[in-house]
Amino acid sequence: MNIAEVESLSFNSLISDVDDVETDFHIYYGWDAGHLVGNKGMSSMLEANNSSWVSECYKGTIKLNSITIDTFLERNNLKNDFDLLNIDTQGTELKVLSGSYKLLNKVKYINCEVTFHNPIYRNNSKFDEVNSLLQSCGFKNIHVDKCSEGNWGDAIFIKEM
């Protein structure tokens, strides 16, 4: 791949399983969050379960309008000429995937954060739910890289041909 040919675009959107629904977005970030460092990747549509360190990270809730990946690509006239989908949405991976059936018919690979037990967020999707949905769309889980506690990790799925 020639990196000079890669085009990068930024969008501010709340990706979910439904279009145009006002949705709470809970802002969480750690005391150490700073430019290019620190824990600033915890915000989610889901509320966090109560724990001392998470409650210290809560900064407020805002309202945003939701959109599915399929509609997002369509409304922004974006071609999906890519074959890898990377998802890390702090517990809402199943919601995001549920709104992306058109895209799931086109991509070959998915890298997805998954949770196994003791989720940080209320109604956090679990690995088995994500795996089941992706299997129904023709994907097979080929690898999981778990964190040291074994609670969550990144799962790689490949479209079976």
Side-chain angles (χ1 to χ4, degrees):
M1 180 174 86
N2 182 350
I3 199 71
E5 296 174 11
V6 174
E7 183 180 357
S8 180
L9 304 170
S10 297
F11 295 88
N12 185 8
S13 296
L14 179 80
I15 305 296
S16 187
D17 58 341
V18 293
D19 289 320
D20 305 313
V21 174
E22 189 174 72
T23 304
D24 286 340
F25 187 71
H26 309 283
I27 302 169
Y28 299 94
Y29 58 87
W31 59 268
D32 59 343
H35 181 67
L36 299 178
V37 296
N39 189 357
K40 54 189 169 287
M42 299 167 42
S43 298
S44 178
M45 284 183 272
L46 303 178
E47 289 183 80
N49 289 318
N50 292 331
S51 75
S52 58
W53 72 270
V54 172
S55 37
E56 289 175 13
C57 297
Y58 178 70
K59 305 303 179 199
T61 299
I62 59 175
K63 300 269 188 198
L64 298 171
N65 284 323
S66 66
I67 190 170
T68 64
I69 289 179
D70 289 339
T71 302
F72 172 83
L73 292 169
E74 192 176 292
R75 286 184 186 171
N76 289 288
N77 296 315
L78 297 171
K79 299 175 190 168
N80 61 314
D81 56 351
F82 49 87
D83 56 9
L84 169 70
L85 178 61
N86 185 39
I87 301 174
D88 181 349
T89 58
Q90 300 309 110
T92 62
E93 288 76 14
L94 188 64
K95 278 182 170 281
V96 170
L97 290 166
S98 295
S100 62
Y101 284 105
K102 288 179 187 174
L103 182 61
L104 291 177
N105 285 323
K106 297 178 182 179
V107 296
K108 296 177 187 173
Y109 311 98
I110 297 173
N111 183 62
C112 182
E113 186 176 66
V114 291
T115 302
F116 295 95
H117 57 85
N118 297 326
I120 293 175
Y121 304 95
R122 294 181 195 139
N123 301 313
N124 195 120
S125 57
K126 300 272 182 61
F127 171 80
D128 290 341
E129 297 169 301
V130 170
N131 188 47
S132 178
L133 175 93
L134 290 176
Q135 280 181 342
S136 73
C137 295
F139 287 88
K140 177 182 179 181
N141 175 241
I142 60 167
H143 180 74
V144 176
D145 187 20
K146 291 185 179 180
C147 71
S148 60
E149 304 90 35
N151 180 38
W152 60 271
D154 288 316
I156 299 173
F157 299 86
I158 187 168
K159 178 78 83 148
E160 295 185 300
M161 299 296 175

